[in-house]
Amino acid sequence: MTDSSVRPAASSTAGSASTTASPEDAPAGGNGLLWVLLAVAGLFVVLRPRAPMDYLHLVDWQTVGALAGLLAITQGVEKSGMLQATAQRLLGRMTDLRSLALLLTAGAAVLSALVTNDVSLFLLVPLTRVLATQADLPLARLVVLQALAVNAGSALTPIGNPQNLYLWHRSGDSFLGFMGMMAPTVAIMLFWLFVAVWVLVPRTAIALRPAGEVPAVQPRMLALAGVLFVAFVVALERHWLLAGLGLVFGAFLVFYPRVLKGVDWALLAIIALMFVDLRQLAELPAVADLLKHAPIAEGWRAYLAAIVASQFISNVPAAILLDGPVRDLPALAAGVSVGGFGCVLGSLANLIALRLARLPNGLREFHKLSIPFLLVCAVSAVLLRLG
């Protein structure tokens, strides 16, 4: 460890910004949401029964499978010791908490526009969690800010998130044309994001924890994870999901079976149940009737409808559901992007971030920041459109 290990402790100030956490001792985020989704699924089974195989068809297995592979690869990177070594070097160079928060948040926003919001979280949240084992950091606040950042940054490009990819194909616009359409909304979201970082994260010296034994980097495990990541992304692009999963899980099972013990299987169950519950919710006759008669074809009404729908069924299903009754594509795209904030269900990225961080009170901490952020961004963006 460098001389930064003797920096003055600022835990009282930093702790006031958010609850500091030791992620090594934290549970994997709790499974309360899993039980709620199971209860809702059981209610649908009673009230609107269907054939057993129909429930499997409700799940987007491409998404669930992609997450499963990425979770396993992320575990491989983490257990290789590379994150711990990177965190140690990063803390040796950063001088204050706000600078670290700005770096992590900006990195999440930029990466999400280039390699999608989910992948950027798989890269940065585990690193942030390891950072919090080596220094007194407001882990919950940093992770929530990263979740907000990937929702904002990914909205800029057609490939940043699934709803953008869907709407881009529907629009027939060019890549740069779509970016130009999204730029004003993204600029507003990023502006308020960095205001939030500036206000919520103090500029205090980072108080390092007593230097512990940093595990040695295992280059072979790291190299295997890197090769598997590239191969898995290629497999996903070519729609070879089963082959990609077989390669990832087979390689770890043969060479490093302990990696698979760290996979968050509960997260995969939560994502699958979200598809089952939310798609059945969208199929309800009352919902279809509401969409048919609601004046949400264009303008600010379309924009607000997309935000509200995202809070209940997530922004990707909301984009698909409203694509018919809403004829104002810019308003729809802006609405589902802003709608990723607020409720944790607004975006799958929110759930992924919280589960990867293993926060014991993740949902509470998330909503304390995300709901006010939604309100500020929603009002700002609608005023921009009206102006």
Side-chain angles (χ1 to χ4, degrees), residues 73 76-83 86 217-229 252 256:
I73 293 169
V77 174
E78 186 169 344
K79 292 187 180 299
S80 74
M82 175 54 68
L83 291 181
T86 302
V217 177
Q218 301 182 54
R220 291 183 179 179
M221 185 185 297
L222 181 63
L224 176 63
V227 170
L228 290 176
F229 176 76
F252 281 129
Y256 301 103

Side-chain angles (χ1 to χ4, degrees), residues 16-17 98 102 141 145 192-203 369:
S16 63
R98 182 182 292 163
L102 286 170
R141 183 150 296 182
L145 288 171
W192 287 116
L193 174 67
F194 289 108
V195 168
V197 175
W198 196 267
V199 172
L200 297 174
V201 182
R203 189 174 183 178
L369 291 183

Side-chain angles (χ1 to χ4, degrees), residues 36-57:
V36 171
L37 292 170
L38 278 171
V40 173
L43 189 62
F44 273 117
V45 169
V46 174
L47 299 180
R48 294 176 60 84
R50 58 175 72 200
M53 291 301 297
D54 287 347
Y55 292 103
L56 295 179
H57 294 152

Side-chain angles (χ1 to χ4, degrees), residues 45-382:
V45 169
V46 174
L47 299 180
R48 294 176 60 84
R50 58 175 72 200
M53 291 301 297
D54 287 347
Y55 292 103
L56 295 179
H57 294 152
L58 292 172
V59 179
D60 185 339
W61 292 109
Q62 187 75 17
T63 298
V64 175
L67 290 176
L70 290 172
L71 281 171
I73 293 169
T74 302
Q75 279 295 306
V77 174
E78 186 169 344
K79 292 187 180 299
S80 74
M82 175 54 68
L83 291 181
Q84 291 83 345
T86 302
Q88 189 178 58
R89 287 195 292 269
L90 185 59
L91 289 173
R93 296 187 178 187
M94 302 305 297
T95 58
D96 64 86
L97 184 57
R98 182 182 292 163
S99 297
L100 178 63
L102 286 170
L103 176 65
L104 293 173
T105 304
V110 172
L111 279 174
S112 65
L114 302 176
V115 296
T116 77
N117 52 2
D118 296 345
V119 173
S120 61
L121 289 173
F122 278 108
L123 294 173
L124 288 177
V125 173
L127 173 61
T128 306
R129 184 162 53 81
V130 173
L131 284 167
T133 67
Q134 300 184 13
D136 290 327
L137 302 179
L139 177 61
R141 183 150 296 182
L142 292 176
V143 169
V144 172
L145 288 171
Q146 286 178 54
L148 300 180
V150 300
N151 283 323
S154 67
L156 180 61
T157 65
I159 60 173
N161 54 52
Q163 66 269 21
N164 272 16
L165 188 61
Y166 172 79
L167 294 174
W168 177 45
H169 288 157
R170 292 283 290 157
S171 70
D173 207 348
S174 67
F175 193 97
L176 292 178
F178 189 91
M179 288 181 63
M181 178 185 75
M182 297 303 300
T185 301
V186 173
I188 287 175
M189 293 189 291
L190 291 178
F191 170 78
W192 287 116
L193 174 67
F194 289 108
V195 168
V197 175
W198 196 267
V199 172
L200 297 174
V201 182
R203 189 174 183 178
T204 55
I206 298 174
L208 299 180
R209 297 180 186 275
E213 182 179 354
V214 178
V217 177
Q218 301 182 54
R220 291 183 179 179
M221 185 185 297
L222 181 63
L224 176 63
V227 170
L228 290 176
F229 176 76
V230 174
F232 190 61
V233 170
V234 172
L236 292 179
E237 290 181 347
R238 295 179 178 272
H239 303 287
W240 297 341
L241 175 62
L242 292 180
L245 286 174
L247 176 63
V248 170
F249 282 88
F252 281 129
L253 186 62
V254 171
F255 297 105
Y256 301 103
R258 63 190 177 90
V259 167
L260 300 182
K261 295 180 180 179
V263 175
D264 190 351
W265 302 105
L267 173 60
L268 299 176
I270 287 172
I271 301 301
L273 282 168
M274 279 184 62
F275 283 114
V276 172
D277 291 350
L278 299 181
R279 285 182 170 175
Q280 289 185 97
L281 179 65
E283 292 173 355
L284 291 175
V287 175
D289 187 64
L290 176 64
L291 293 176
K292 182 178 180 180
H293 297 97
I296 57 172
E298 57 189 17
W300 65 269
R301 291 184 178 87
Y303 167 76
L304 292 180
I307 293 177
V308 173
S310 298
Q311 302 307 295
F312 292 96
I313 64 172
S314 191
N315 51 10
V316 178
I320 298 172
L321 179 67
L322 296 176
D323 184 39
V326 172
R327 297 192 297 270
D328 188 341
L329 188 138
L332 176 58
V336 294
S337 295
V338 176
F341 308 128
C343 177
V344 70
L345 294 180
S347 171
L348 291 181
N350 300 334
L351 288 171
I352 292 171
L354 295 182
R355 297 292 300 194
L356 288 175
R358 303 177 186 176
L359 298 172
N361 298 306
L363 286 175
R364 184 181 64 191
E365 294 296 327
F366 177 83
H367 290 118
K368 282 169 60 177
L369 291 183
S370 187
I371 291 177
F373 195 82
L374 167 67
L375 297 176
V376 171
C377 288
V379 172
S380 300
V382 78

